[in-house]
Amino acid sequence: MNKKGYIGEFADTYKKDLNLPDEVKIFDTTLRDGEQTPGVSFTPDQKIRIARQLDELQVDVIEAGFPIVSKGEKNSVKKIVDEDLDTEICALSRSSDEDLETALDCNVDSIHLFIATSDLHLEKKLDLTREEALEKAVTSVEKAKENGVIVEFSAEDATRTELGYLKEIYEAVENAGADRINIPDTVGVATPKAMRNLTEEIKKVVDIPISVHCHDDFGLAVSNSVAAVETGAEQIHAAINGLGERAGNASLEEVVMTLRSLYDIKPRVKTEALVKTSSLLERITGIQVPPNKAIVGDNAFAHEAGIHVDGVLKSPGTYEALSPELVGHHRRITLGKHTGKKSVKKQLDELEIETTKEQLEEITARLKDIGDKGKIITDADLRAIAESVVGTLPREEKAVKLKEATVTTGSTVTPTSSIRLSVKGEDRIGSATGVGPVDAAIKALRDVMGEISELSLKEYHLDAITGGSDALADVTVKLEDKDNNLYIAKGVRDDVVLASVEAMVNGINRYFARKEEES
Ligand code: KIV
Ligand code: ZN
């Protein structure tokens, strides 16, 4: 293993040709661009709660809001400032007097000033000439600096702005006193190479730190952000869970871990708090993090395939690029059709369920069967399947084996079931009708099993193991013979009729086993 843990040497090979900065700052825009996510609106209390969490996460800048948009927004920004957090608190403002005064009124540490610079925006949206926009940008930067705040300037729609003019405006705001400039890829149209080139070009004309703000319209926000770092960008705008306007912003957790693990640049961010922060935003926004989301998704450190589980149990680095603890996550072994016996055994050990080799094989086969039907298997399902298998005799010793059970039912037909069993090696087929599908199947079973006439069904109990209409059915039956001996047995299947027949067959096998012992 190399010094960076599980990461291979390839990153080092390519790093030689890059102009990587020593440090990259994380400008968090969850509370501003993140709140522009369709359907998301934070209450002032929620904004404060999120700001505290971002402070705990140790991002470098918290963009708390856009004060001009409403009284409530302005108050929220002020309240966040009153929290007196360690992190730099920033407010967004267009390059206009009214916006700037409102933002300055919040006593923030920094102002993020912006004006659109692409011809498309200037003509269609702002009705300004390039010269007019440049003058507004410069005037607003000067005014903000007169008020003693840190100033970051964004040329909105920079990636669709003519390069000569873009350079001119960034140079002008630097001369006006801006502390950092930001390159927004407002509609996410850049590619990594374009972002690398653009950053390189802008770096030729400005000396202040360069930041990037990438949107995810083509799913490239994180790649574009780190590409900019390859040619010297010193700050990235990002939002927790990739929240933001339309398809969102670069996901903060992905940016941070990519920089840290693949580029060996360690942002200040306390990575162990990433999952906690992501979950907080998930709860507050109601927008679920997809399970397969990198770093923070439920499946980010879950392993199902037998080969993978075997590898991870021997040495986590075989199938984990980073350790789950580093981001506040945990490793999970999941069960499904790809599951191997070793994973099942491991899970059973955790549940303290002992099995024979045959029972383990039977449990694994049943899990694969359920997985084949596209269902998710939970710990509770595993426990129930295991108990049903471990509670029965090994396959070879079973007197009765269920071969097939079918039922026809509906609002206009009488429930009818046919059943095929092997009883001590002899094939038997029977059928019956009943008041419902389960009743019909149990009657069909009794129909072909003359030798159980003395057994009465004392109790029948059905549980759904997990919620949802595809939950496993867990059936327990209590059978009683004429001497009042009880035979309690379970059946667990994804079909209630099969689970019921299985429970009955397991009970009957116990009854046969007892009779055998007595004879
Ligand atoms: O996407 C964008 O251009 C923005 C600006 C306000 C920087 O969010
Ligand atoms: Zn944006």
Side-chain angles (χ1 to χ4, degrees):
M1 205 187 298
N2 74 2
K3 64 179 174 14
K4 290 199 293 298
Y6 306 144
I7 310 297
E9 298 292 337
F10 82 96
D12 287 338
T13 314
Y14 295 109
K15 256 170 62 177
K16 288 199 293 285
D17 308 324
L18 307 176
N19 180 22
L20 293 176
D22 296 332
E23 200 195 354
V24 174
K25 294 203 163 150
I26 301 297
F27 179 109
D28 179 276
T29 186
T30 310
L31 289 171
R32 200 278 297 168
D33 214 321
E35 202 188 10
Q36 291 170 219
T37 306
V40 170
S41 173
F42 302 128
T43 65
D45 283 349
Q46 287 172 335
K47 279 206 154 203
I48 292 170
R49 175 74 193 87
I50 295 166
R52 286 187 193 143
Q53 183 57 38
L54 293 171
D55 184 59
E56 184 188 318
L57 185 64
Q58 292 182 12
V59 298
D60 295 281
V61 184
I62 296 174
E63 191 175 33
F66 192 5
I68 195 72
V69 298
S70 74
K71 271 200 202 120
E73 176 78 345
K74 182 176 171 185
N75 279 337
S76 297
V77 175
K78 275 186 165 172
K79 282 190 174 160
I80 291 172
V81 171
D82 290 344
E83 286 285 299
D84 207 16
L85 304 171
D86 289 337
T87 315
E88 176 186 319
I89 305 297
C90 181
L92 182 69
S93 161
R94 282 171 297 191
S95 292
S96 82
D97 284 353
E98 197 196 351
D99 272 39
L100 181 56
E101 275 151 27
T102 314
L104 287 168
D105 238 14
C106 298
N107 289 323
V108 285
D109 303 303
S110 57
I111 305 274
H112 175 197
L113 283 169
F114 77 99
I115 192 161
T117 51
S118 65
D119 288 339
L120 179 68
H121 277 233
L122 288 174
E123 281 165 29
K124 304 279 182 209
K125 188 182 85 175
L126 298 179
D127 194 19
L128 287 177
T129 62
R130 288 184 181 181
E131 293 71 31
E132 286 165 338
L134 189 140
E135 195 188 316
K136 275 177 172 288
V138 169
T139 312
S140 63
V141 170
E142 282 170 351
K143 189 162 176 194
K145 283 314 290 179
E146 278 161 24
N147 284 273
V149 286
I150 300 167
V151 172
E152 176 162 330
F153 174 81
S154 278
E156 190 190 11
D157 208 18
T159 50
R160 294 193 296 179
T161 300
E162 190 264 314
L163 184 59
Y165 175 57
L166 190 64
K167 286 181 170 177
E168 200 185 322
I169 200 160
Y170 281 138
E171 268 187 284
V173 293
E174 176 176 20
N175 292 334
D179 299 281
R180 336 182 257 260
I181 58 110
N182 179 49
I183 307 176
D185 183 24
T186 303
V187 287
V189 290
T191 59
K193 187 163 172 49
M195 215 55 207
R196 226 175 270 130
N197 288 351
L198 184 54
T199 308
E200 199 168 26
E201 285 299 320
I202 302 302
K203 230 181 161 50
K204 287 180 187 161
V205 295
V206 298
D207 288 327
I208 49 178
I210 295 180
S211 171
V212 290
H213 175 107
C214 298
H215 276 274
D216 209 28
D217 300 69
F218 288 90
L220 290 172
V222 173
S223 306
N224 287 342
S225 304
V226 295
V229 169
E230 292 189 353
T231 46
E234 290 111 327
Q235 181 180 271
I236 293 179
H237 282 206
I240 301 293
N241 297 342
L243 292 168
E245 191 81 42
R246 303 182 313 280
N249 287 88
S251 136
L252 187 141
E253 46 285 354
E254 293 174 22
V255 162
V256 167
M257 292 318 294
T258 301
L259 290 177
R260 193 180 194 284
S261 297
L262 305 181
Y263 289 80
D264 212 11
I265 297 174
K266 293 196 175 55
R268 195 173 83 109
V269 169
K270 203 171 95 197
T271 57
E272 291 79 4
L274 283 171
V275 169
K276 182 179 168 194
T277 314
S278 160
S279 306
L280 176 73
L281 266 300
E282 185 178 37
R283 280 200 305 281
I284 292 180
T285 59
I287 297 179
Q288 289 219 314
V289 173
N292 61 338
K293 166 98 166 59
I295 317 293
V296 292
D298 271 358
N299 294 350
F301 299 93
H303 307 275
E304 177 174 314
I307 299 165
H308 287 222
V309 173
D310 184 40
V312 160
L313 294 179
K314 286 175 178 155
S315 175
T318 52
Y319 289 101
E320 279 174 2
L322 40 104
S323 89
E325 295 78 25
L326 186 59
V327 297
H329 215 316
H330 58 276
R331 181 171 306 122
R332 201 158 51 85
I333 308 294
T334 64
L335 298 168
K337 71 173 178 185
H338 304 104
T339 299
K341 274 184 284 181
K342 284 188 182 149
S343 325
V344 179
K345 171 93 179 76
K346 164 110 188 358
Q347 302 275 80
L348 290 172
D349 286 348
E350 270 164 29
L351 295 172
E352 293 180 0
I353 297 175
E354 277 181 37
T355 58
T356 62
K357 195 166 150 273
E358 292 75 23
Q359 287 165 337
L360 180 62
E361 267 161 20
E362 173 69 24
I363 295 167
T364 311
R366 286 208 199 175
L367 291 172
K368 282 178 183 283
D369 220 41
I370 295 167
D372 265 340
K373 291 175 183 149
K375 293 181 183 170
I376 295 163
I377 300 156
T378 66
D379 273 4
D381 296 334
L382 173 65
R383 181 184 283 281
I385 291 170
E387 278 173 3
S388 117
V389 171
V390 173
T392 64
L393 298 167
R395 224 180 202 170
E396 312 68 73
E397 296 171 37
K398 281 182 191 169
V400 186
K401 288 176 195 158
L402 176 65
K403 298 274 184 173
E404 207 181 318
T406 55
V407 215
T408 333
T409 188
S411 53
T412 53
V413 288
T414 309
T416 309
S417 171
S418 18
I419 214 153
R420 193 157 71 84
L421 298 171
S422 148
V423 182
K424 297 182 183 159
E426 174 204 341
D427 244 28
R428 295 188 194 174
I429 298 174
S431 62
T433 57
V435 290
V438 172
D439 186 47
I442 292 180
K443 282 190 175 140
L445 174 69
R446 295 192 81 104
D447 181 53
V448 286
M449 296 278 320
E451 40 294 67
I452 61 160
S453 56
E454 66 156 325
L455 282 182
S456 60
L457 179 59
K458 298 293 289 178
E459 259 178 59
Y460 172 94
H461 186 77
L462 167 68
D463 269 326
I465 295 170
T466 40
S469 55
D470 65 350
L472 286 184
D474 178 350
V475 172
T476 309
V477 293
K478 205 185 264 183
L479 303 171
E480 193 178 35
D481 67 17
K482 63 177 182 346
D483 301 321
N484 301 114
N485 295 311
L486 285 177
Y487 307 92
I488 300 168
K490 258 178 176 301
V492 179
R493 293 282 170 150
D494 48 4
D495 177 295
V496 66
V497 174
L498 280 179
S500 306
V501 175
E502 179 180 78
M504 286 294 290
V505 167
N506 286 342
I508 294 167
N509 276 320
R510 290 186 162 202
Y511 165 72
F512 279 159
R514 184 186 186 110
K515 291 199 112 188
E516 197 111 312
E517 269 169 36
E518 284 171 1
S519 62

